[in-house]
Amino acid sequence: MEPTPASAAPYASTSYGSAINPVISRKKWWILLPVLSLLSLALCAVLAFHGYIAWMLARPAIAPLSSNPQLAAGLAYEDVRFASSDGASSLEGWFIPAEDSDKVVVFSHGYGGNREELWVPFYSLAQELNRQHYNVLLFDYGYVQPDLSVTGGVRESLELEGALKFVKEKGMKHTYVWGFSMGAGTALQTALQNKQIEAMILDSMFLLEPDTMFHNIKNQIDLPKFPSLPLIRLFFPILNGTSMDQIPYRTVKETDYPMPIFFIHGEKDVKAPYEVAQEIAGNQSNPNSRLWLLPNARHELIYKANKKEYLRRTMAFLNSVVGSGSS
């Protein structure tokens, strides 16, 4: 007996569907596969690119030393070596002695620089300080060494504390810190805990916080803040061992420091926005603290553009601080 059309129809429909659906699925898969592959490659490229930025930020190219205090400025000096306060870093520097003086200025160099910081230049400032009977310590932060990275002041503040301990052991009774760029930001982080610093001069102060970091990146590469900033912050601790959350930038900006601080900044500084220095300076209540804001000055180039005025103001600040007992 032949099957009725009614009974045959469902069978035919099921058979047809079973035959055609895998074909459709395979076609869709072959269309989606290259699209998914391209999306995966694009995602990997974006992640790798931002990882590379995070890696490079912590490893700036640093020129080797080109001279020394004797050759560059006629200053007698000692090669010195000391450890960071936690003993994790071994640091090298030059100690320039002043006759019959227990006052010392410790220089804190900036990102991408070393104990010479030729564009400031350190040798000229050390020469003037020595002439006015200040001992001087110039030293390299640990990231100048090829196996260490920049940590935005987390490790560097411990290294500056090591420098302060070193000069104290050499008999220095009055210690002042002169910081530039990130070295100035590091000095502020160190001063949160260290009571040895009697006064600070902070030139072109740079504090590593997310917005300032992105501001500098955007000056080089026009990236959107999202997702670039979150991705760089994600990769920074993975690749460099330090999270930006470890940098106490909020505390630094809100603290009223006990010691007098001389802030020097240029309004045309495209690396370290002057508003940050202005904000921190505005929080200071020490009567000897002050802010010198120059309308046309650029990052770390203030001395070169205003040599006489720069020396007059900075030396007057130091000498007035010494004469008043620092605070």
Side-chain angles (χ1 to χ4, degrees):
M1 179 177 174
E2 294 183 1
T4 64
S7 63
Y11 178 81
S13 175
T14 304
S15 175
Y16 178 78
S18 300
I20 199 68
N21 285 343
V23 173
I24 294 172
S25 297
R26 282 197 295 271
K27 284 183 178 179
K28 286 182 178 178
W29 174 249
W30 286 111
I31 292 170
L32 286 174
L33 183 61
V35 174
L36 291 172
S37 297
L38 287 173
L39 289 174
S40 297
L41 287 172
L43 178 60
C44 289
V46 168
L47 293 175
F49 175 70
H50 288 90
Y52 176 74
I53 292 175
W55 172 270
M56 292 302 296
L57 281 172
R59 292 163 180 81
I62 298 171
L65 295 173
S66 62
S67 188
N68 62 54
Q70 181 65 57
L71 293 175
L75 297 170
Y77 71 98
E78 306 169 27
D79 287 309
V80 297
R81 183 185 293 270
F82 53 89
S84 57
S85 60
D86 64 349
S89 305
S90 179
L91 309 165
E92 296 181 349
W94 296 318
F95 183 78
I96 302 170
E99 188 175 353
D100 298 326
S101 173
D102 57 6
K103 304 175 298 182
V104 62
V105 173
V106 177
F107 279 91
S108 177
H109 70 75
Y111 174 86
N114 56 27
R115 72 185 91 157
E116 286 186 311
E117 199 108 323
L118 295 173
W119 56 90
V120 169
F122 278 5
Y123 289 129
S124 296
L125 296 179
Q127 190 175 47
E128 181 62 28
L129 286 166
N130 196 249
R131 187 181 296 121
Q132 299 203 30
H133 307 290
Y134 290 88
N135 298 275
V136 176
L137 176 65
L138 301 163
F139 76 99
D140 292 337
Y141 279 112
Y143 64 78
V144 172
Q145 304 166 26
D147 58 334
L148 294 177
S149 59
V150 175
T151 66
V154 177
R155 188 187 61 249
E156 290 82 2
S157 60
L158 299 176
E159 293 171 344
L160 181 54
E161 279 199 326
L164 299 175
K165 180 181 178 183
F166 170 78
V167 295
K168 186 175 183 180
E169 291 172 348
K170 285 189 74 70
M172 301 295 107
K173 295 180 180 178
H174 303 285
T175 304
Y176 314 99
V177 173
W178 199 329
F180 293 80
S181 189
M182 190 178 287
T186 296
L188 287 170
Q189 292 181 56
T190 304
L192 290 173
Q193 306 295 333
N194 191 284
K195 306 305 179 187
Q196 184 182 339
I197 304 171
E198 295 188 17
M200 296 190 290
I201 299 174
L202 304 180
D203 184 325
S204 306
M205 190 277 302
F206 178 92
L207 185 62
L208 186 60
E209 55 182 330
D211 287 343
T212 306
M213 180 183 72
F214 185 74
H215 169 82
N216 277 270
I217 294 170
K218 197 169 177 63
N219 283 340
Q220 304 298 320
I221 311 169
D222 191 14
L223 295 174
K225 193 168 186 177
F226 183 85
S228 291
L229 182 56
L231 285 175
I232 293 168
R233 292 191 67 179
L234 171 69
F235 282 115
F236 204 88
I238 296 172
L239 299 174
N240 305 316
T242 303
S243 168
M244 290 192 67
D245 292 332
Q246 294 175 256
I247 303 169
Y249 54 87
R250 291 188 184 91
T251 304
V252 166
K253 292 170 74 172
E254 296 168 357
T255 297
D256 181 3
Y257 290 87
M259 74 286 291
I261 305 174
F262 185 15
F263 296 89
I264 304 171
H265 219 99
E267 291 187 20
K268 290 191 175 179
D269 190 329
V270 298
K271 296 182 179 180
Y274 74 89
E275 291 88 351
V276 178
Q278 197 172 40
E279 178 185 352
I280 299 172
N283 289 332
Q284 306 310 305
S285 62
N286 188 297
N288 290 317
S289 289
R290 61 195 68 173
L291 169 66
W292 181 26
L293 197 59
L294 293 87
N296 298 311
R298 301 182 185 277
H299 191 72
E300 286 194 286
L301 298 177
I302 299 172
Y303 169 76
K304 280 196 170 183
N306 308 270
K307 291 182 181 179
K308 289 184 179 179
E309 184 68 6
Y310 189 98
L311 287 178
R312 185 186 71 79
R313 287 177 180 254
T314 52
M315 296 303 150
F317 171 76
L318 280 176
N319 292 333
S320 67
V321 163
V322 171
S324 66
S326 297
S327 59

